[in-house]
Amino acid sequence: MYYNFRNIFMLTAIRAQNALELSAPASPVLLECNAPTVPPGWLQLSGHPKSIAPLANGIVRKRISGPNDTELLAYRQLMVDPHAIKVVPKFLGVHQVAGEHFIDLHNMLHGFTEPNVMDIKMGFRTFTESEVSNTALREDLYQKMIAVDPSAPSADEHARQAITKLRYMQFRENMSSTQEKGFRIEALRMRGYSPVTDLKTIKTDHQIRTTIGHFVNGRRSIAKDILKRLRQMRTLIEKSEFFQRHQVLGSSVFIVYDDQQVGVWLIDFAKALPLPPGTKVTHRRRWQMGNCEEGLLHGFDELIRTMEAVQQQTQHFSVRHQSRATDV
């Protein structure tokens, strides 16, 4: 039952082997930082724990590579796009400290009390085309593949004992719901429980619905508010000039709720790359080398369908719960 979150830990038996390294790490979400200088309730990034730090007044400072950093350029354009600005955390400026560059963003946990948090990685690929353009056969990637699943290589690949980087990257993505659904549940944290960060191989409809159902904890109002926001975000992305001009890889839908409010944003734009001249994307078509499609909107479509099913399930739970209360 959704109100008993302990069941979620049964799902962690479905996990990748340690040899499986995903191409886009979890967003700055789910590992609690206990340093005395950190504001109460701060949740540190699981992907890059030293790249981001909370400041006062609801601001997060994130390290970037320099003045031409891809994410910095993306946020500057997002802030002047009347549709995109409503989808992402607010960009508050760029700073240079001791020779390093940082961007300031709205802390999405600010104003929430003991929030529940979920990170959902979007798209049916999270790697760039340049990462997989080399067609050289690599023995090391073959070894990594068989360490995870000895049956995964084809007969030819077994004979060569080598695979391309593209083959390995697609194999990794296929371990999750990424290639089929256009999203994968990266990690989550519920109030009173430790973070759950090994959910990347949750793949089937039932596994996904069950995990998200546990996350909303049987609360129909939470599922309804999340669904409403996801639909709004999809519409805004469809209208946005920024998203018409960029392929957006490795971004996450970041969901936060407590007893009073719900927040949902699209975050992480380190791989938001401008499209080549003359290239157009739908964000829904399947990717082929050179077409720059990444499946962002396909992921939103599938995530919305999933949330609709979860909302329906929570509605049925509420009816059953009320019926039992009446009987008593």
Side-chain angles (χ1 to χ4, degrees):
M1 289 180 288
Y2 291 143
Y3 56 82
N4 185 356
F5 184 72
R6 293 175 185 173
N7 293 338
I8 189 63
F9 293 98
M10 295 175 63
L11 295 171
T12 62
I14 310 165
R15 61 183 67 177
Q17 305 288 338
N18 289 337
L20 183 67
E21 302 168 359
L22 291 173
S23 55
S27 304
V29 181
L30 295 165
L31 299 182
E32 187 170 5
C33 181
N34 295 317
T37 57
V38 173
W42 168 248
L43 300 178
Q44 183 62 44
L45 290 186
S46 58
H48 301 285
K50 295 182 179 180
S51 68
I52 190 166
L55 305 179
N57 302 320
I59 298 173
V60 162
R61 180 159 289 179
K62 183 176 182 180
R63 182 183 289 111
I64 58 173
S65 62
N68 295 316
D69 182 83
T70 300
E71 190 156 28
L72 170 59
L73 299 178
Y75 269 111
R76 281 177 167 160
Q77 294 176 71
L78 288 162
M79 290 302 100
V80 296
D81 184 314
H83 303 295
I85 196 173
K86 300 175 183 177
V87 173
V88 303
K90 188 175 181 179
F91 169 66
L92 300 169
V94 60
H95 301 274
Q96 186 173 357
V97 180
E100 293 189 299
H101 293 79
F102 300 85
I103 55 174
D104 286 355
L105 302 170
H106 166 66
N107 182 353
M108 293 165 293
L109 301 178
H110 183 69
F112 287 85
T113 302
E114 297 182 75
N116 306 291
V117 183
M118 177 175 276
D119 175 357
I120 302 176
K121 192 69 66 177
M122 302 300 292
F124 37 60
R125 68 179 171 102
T126 57
F127 53 84
T128 66
E129 293 187 351
S130 62
E131 289 180 81
V132 295
S133 59
N134 191 330
T135 59
L137 295 174
R138 292 178 52 178
E139 295 179 4
D140 61 324
L141 296 181
Y142 169 82
Q143 293 298 327
K144 284 187 175 183
M145 176 183 281
I146 62 174
V148 176
D149 182 0
S151 66
S154 67
D156 288 343
E157 289 168 342
H158 275 306
R160 291 192 301 262
Q161 296 193 353
I163 57 175
T164 65
K165 187 170 183 179
L166 173 59
R167 172 75 169 96
Y168 179 67
M169 299 288 258
Q170 291 179 320
F171 161 73
R172 294 189 317 180
E173 303 283 41
N174 196 47
M175 292 290 292
S176 70
S177 58
T178 288
Q179 284 195 352
E180 179 62 28
K181 297 291 186 183
F183 72 86
R184 68 172 179 252
I185 301 172
E186 196 77 1
L188 62 84
R189 185 178 187 272
M190 297 295 292
R191 177 190 308 169
Y193 290 87
S194 299
V196 183
T197 59
D198 51 1
L199 302 175
K200 298 178 184 68
T201 53
I202 287 178
K203 187 173 181 178
T204 68
D205 286 339
H206 176 72
Q207 291 167 350
I208 295 167
R209 287 197 302 267
T210 299
T211 304
I212 295 179
H214 280 297
F215 174 68
V216 302
N217 212 17
R219 300 174 64 177
R220 184 171 180 267
S221 62
I222 298 298
K224 181 180 179 180
D225 288 348
I226 293 172
L227 179 58
K228 179 180 178 181
R229 173 60 172 161
L230 288 172
R231 288 170 173 162
Q232 178 193 49
M233 291 171 69
R234 178 175 64 180
T235 298
L236 290 166
I237 289 170
E238 289 173 331
K239 293 179 178 179
S240 163
E241 289 190 14
F242 175 87
F243 288 95
Q244 291 172 15
R245 298 194 309 264
H246 289 78
Q247 53 180 315
V248 182
L249 303 156
S251 291
S252 288
V253 166
F254 184 86
I255 304 174
V256 190
Y257 77 87
D258 61 13
D259 291 335
Q260 304 298 324
Q261 57 185 324
V262 172
V264 186
W265 296 267
L266 187 67
I267 63 172
D268 294 346
F269 295 95
K271 293 184 179 181
L273 305 176
L275 295 171
T279 301
K280 294 183 179 180
V281 294
T282 66
H283 301 291
R284 286 187 169 95
R285 288 185 302 169
R286 287 290 167 181
W287 173 67
Q288 296 178 343
M289 184 65 79
N291 72 0
C292 297
E293 294 282 2
E294 84 297 79
L296 176 66
L297 284 173
H298 176 86
F300 266 92
D301 294 341
E302 291 295 325
L303 183 55
I304 286 168
R305 290 190 189 99
T306 300
M307 283 304 307
E308 288 170 344
V310 169
Q311 184 188 21
Q312 192 74 13
Q313 290 171 341
T314 58
Q315 183 175 358
H316 291 163
F317 167 75
S318 298
V319 170
R320 290 196 303 270
H321 184 70
Q322 291 171 5
S323 176
R324 291 193 189 105
T326 302
D327 292 341
V328 173

